[in-house]
Amino acid sequence: MFSQESDILHKLRLIEGLKADLLTEVGKLYQAMAHNKREAIGDALAQLIISAFVLGRRLGIEYPEMEEIVNTRLGHNIKQETETERWFGDMSEYRRYLRQKR
């Protein structure tokens, strides 16, 4: 029984660590943007994406499902004509990019 509790605590600590990583990377992103450091911006954004996907997996959403959720969300944002989409077409561009990769 003790090992089962230990396993649960280990998983909870991992999830809490991933949540903290997300917040830390947002802070790093803001710092990088404030100093206009392109490489640091890219690194922070990449780590945010990685942490989000890993956190999703720890919460029961496997990577392929997460990719499908992202694709569905893109479609929703395109239909809702968010400012980003309306002004620049970024959502459609990203969706095209993802489809080309497949």
Side-chain angles (χ1 to χ4, degrees), residues 16-59:
E16 291 303 314
L18 288 166
K19 289 167 33 181
D21 287 347
L22 285 169
L23 292 174
T24 299
E25 290 307 319
V26 168
K28 287 179 182 179
L29 175 61
Y30 286 173
Q31 287 290 326
M33 290 187 319
H35 295 99
N36 198 26
K37 294 183 177 178
R38 189 175 192 281
E39 186 176 336
I41 291 169
D43 286 344
L45 287 169
Q47 191 57 51
L48 278 166
I49 293 166
I50 292 166
S51 293
F53 268 75
V54 172
L55 178 59
R57 184 164 187 253
R58 292 291 98 219
L59 296 174

Side-chain angles (χ1 to χ4, degrees), residues 54-92:
V54 172
L55 178 59
R57 184 164 187 253
R58 292 291 98 219
L59 296 174
I61 303 171
E62 294 296 331
Y63 301 137
E65 183 183 358
M66 185 59 108
E67 284 186 340
E68 189 56 40
I69 293 168
V70 167
N71 192 39
T72 300
R73 173 55 51 190
L74 280 170
H76 177 75
N77 290 348
I78 291 166
K79 287 178 187 172
Q80 293 297 315
E81 295 185 353
T82 61
E83 285 183 356
T84 305
E85 178 60 24
R86 193 175 40 228
W87 294 352
F88 304 104
D90 288 342
M91 302 290 174
S92 295

